[in-house]
Amino acid sequence: MPAFDKHVILTGAGLSRNWGGYLSSEMWGAILSHPGIEARDNLRELLLRETNFESALGEVQQQARYELQDRKAMQDAVRAAFEIHDQNICQGLASAAGANLWEDFIQMTIRPLVDGAASAETTRFVFTLNQDLLMERAFPRCVPAEPNLPGLVPMGSPWFPNEPAKLHLRAFSSAQDIITVPGDLPADMGIEGQFNFVKLHGSFNWRSQTRDGEDLMVIGGAKAETIKRFPLLVQYLKMFEDVLH
């Protein structure tokens, strides 16, 4: 087992808000206003009754009274809301204030981890519960390579920009920016000697290869059960526990 750096970063809810990302209530509003939701009275009534969008999504996922068309409509609305959330982040990063704030964030949090005296001898981690692409759009590559996404084929350039001032702000493309996550994982997740970026709850641009292209995100109800459905996320959880211990 590689030697893990004693300093670990974990980001979660609210981080992306600094660059215009949605909070939970705004995500709920974007989902509610999606045409597919407006066309289905039962989903609209559900969201008006349950203003926590994750709870509403969990109800649709778990209760048999919701039809396949309901689940698809909710999935489409959630995907669309995340894409709007991503557009907002791009606009935030593109502003002078947003770019400066990001640089301050990197200097205070990431650089000490990357540039520390022990960093060349230990395996380093940034864990996140966020499922957006803030980090992929703005996270500076670490010498000699970009951050490693354990178990996944590396995302192509210009993701993980070489220079903080040259952020990746091209509009999200479902044709170019979707990662297909395999069901069979390598025995070696490829973390030794790497700077690792681990999305513990998946990502809105990940699709499962073995579950009919299902979104690979831990969202909605029964989060522990959702993690168990995806071998990659099971391994990520174990990785997180190993690093902390």
Side-chain angles (χ1 to χ4, degrees):
M1 179 179 293
F4 298 141
D5 196 281
K6 294 184 181 296
H7 298 90
V8 175
I9 293 173
L10 172 64
T11 70
L15 175 65
S16 302
R17 178 61 172 175
N18 295 291
W19 293 275
Y22 279 155
L23 295 176
S24 178
S25 60
E26 295 163 318
M27 187 70 76
W28 169 86
I31 293 170
L32 178 64
S33 62
H34 187 270
I37 300 297
E38 292 184 339
R40 301 190 73 79
D41 291 342
N42 59 337
L43 296 183
R44 182 173 176 78
E45 291 170 3
L46 166 64
L47 284 162
L48 290 173
R49 169 172 52 83
E50 178 53 78
T51 57
N52 181 318
F53 83 91
E54 289 204 50
S55 297
L57 176 61
E59 183 171 325
V60 174
Q61 291 172 333
Q62 296 167 34
Q63 294 194 12
R65 65 189 180 90
Y66 290 98
E67 302 174 351
L68 179 61
Q69 293 91 331
D70 294 324
R71 295 186 176 88
K72 184 179 184 307
M74 184 66 84
Q75 174 184 273
D76 291 345
V78 170
R79 286 180 178 179
F82 266 99
E83 290 194 23
I84 298 171
H85 171 83
D86 183 60
Q87 293 170 15
N88 294 342
I89 290 173
C90 287
Q91 293 175 5
L93 289 169
S95 70
N100 290 336
L101 180 61
W102 178 261
E103 180 61 20
D104 290 343
F105 172 75
I106 291 296
Q107 293 300 329
M108 289 188 296
T109 59
I110 307 299
R111 285 301 177 195
L113 185 67
V114 174
D115 299 336
S119 64
E121 302 172 0
T122 57
T123 300
R124 291 142 285 147
F125 290 88
V126 171
F127 293 99
T128 186
L129 300 175
N130 299 74
Q131 295 148 325
D132 56 45
L133 300 178
L134 172 65
M135 291 291 189
E136 289 91 329
R137 289 190 175 283
F139 201 87
R141 298 189 191 198
C142 307
V143 178
E146 63 206 59
N148 179 48
L149 291 167
L152 296 177
V153 175
M155 295 180 73
S157 179
W159 297 96
F160 295 125
N162 278 316
E163 301 176 35
K166 295 183 179 179
L167 307 179
H168 170 40
L169 302 180
R170 172 178 55 77
F172 177 80
S173 167
S174 57
Q176 300 179 55
D177 300 327
I178 296 297
I179 293 181
T180 300
V181 179
D184 297 326
L185 300 174
D188 177 8
M189 290 283 283
I191 62 172
E192 188 166 2
Q194 297 280 349
F195 188 82
N196 299 276
F197 176 50
V198 181
K199 305 185 85 167
L200 293 167
H201 283 181
S203 184
F204 92 90
N205 67 320
W206 294 2
R207 305 287 185 267
S208 173
Q209 184 181 53
T210 55
R211 298 185 67 88
D212 298 323
E214 180 181 352
D215 294 351
L216 207 150
M217 289 198 296
V218 181
I219 192 170
K223 288 182 169 59
E225 295 304 316
T226 300
I227 289 174
K228 292 177 183 178
R229 296 209 311 269
F230 301 110
L232 179 69
L233 299 186
V234 171
Q235 290 300 312
Y236 279 1
L237 177 59
K238 181 179 185 302
M239 192 180 300
F240 182 63
E241 293 171 342
D242 288 345
V243 171
L244 292 188
H245 293 163

